[in-house]
Amino acid sequence: MQLWDYRPDVYDRGQALDITGYHVHATDGKIGSVDEATYEVGESYVVVDTGPWIFGKKVMLPASVITRIDPQEREVHVSRTKEEIKNAPEFDEARFKEPEYRTVMGDYYGRWTH
């Protein structure tokens, strides 16, 4: 499985589900809500607005860290702790769509096995 793809048991591309606005939960608590989500094969990620948790910062998460999507509760669950997410490379609004930036993020999130 690729880091930048949704797990097949979590998100079916055919369902056209938009998770923007869903609440995001780390393994140890809520971290914010989905500000933006993409669904391209091999390039999928979510940008999470952390609100007051990290002083209004945003974080980018590769789609593969999502372990569960609950449309009824409008929740997204990820396989990282709050600390792991907080320590990720800083979100760069100007560069986050560039391949180099994605490599940096991939190196960080790719350290953990899925």
Side-chain angles (χ1 to χ4, degrees), residues 19-21 33-38 45-48 91 93 96-97:
I19 60 173
T20 303
S33 60
V34 177
D35 189 55
E36 179 181 340
T38 63
Y45 59 85
V46 294
V47 175
V48 179
F91 180 71
E93 193 88 47
F96 78 98
K97 294 186 179 181

Side-chain angles (χ1 to χ4, degrees), residues 82-113:
K82 291 168 111 176
E83 192 67 23
E84 289 165 347
I85 293 166
K86 192 173 186 177
N87 292 334
E90 190 157 343
F91 180 71
D92 187 333
E93 193 88 47
R95 295 184 51 233
F96 78 98
K97 294 186 179 181
E98 295 175 6
E100 297 80 21
Y101 180 77
R102 206 167 287 184
T103 298
V104 170
M105 296 303 289
D107 288 346
Y108 179 78
Y109 285 107
R111 295 186 307 189
W112 293 279
T113 55

Side-chain angles (χ1 to χ4, degrees), residues 7 10 12 19 27 29 49 59 64 73-74 85 87 89 91-93 96 102 110:
R7 299 171 187 220
V10 170
D12 173 10
I19 60 173
T27 57
D49 182 342
V59 294
S64 67
E73 297 294 325
R74 295 183 52 82
I85 293 166
N87 292 334
F91 180 71
D92 187 333
E93 193 88 47
F96 78 98
R102 206 167 287 184

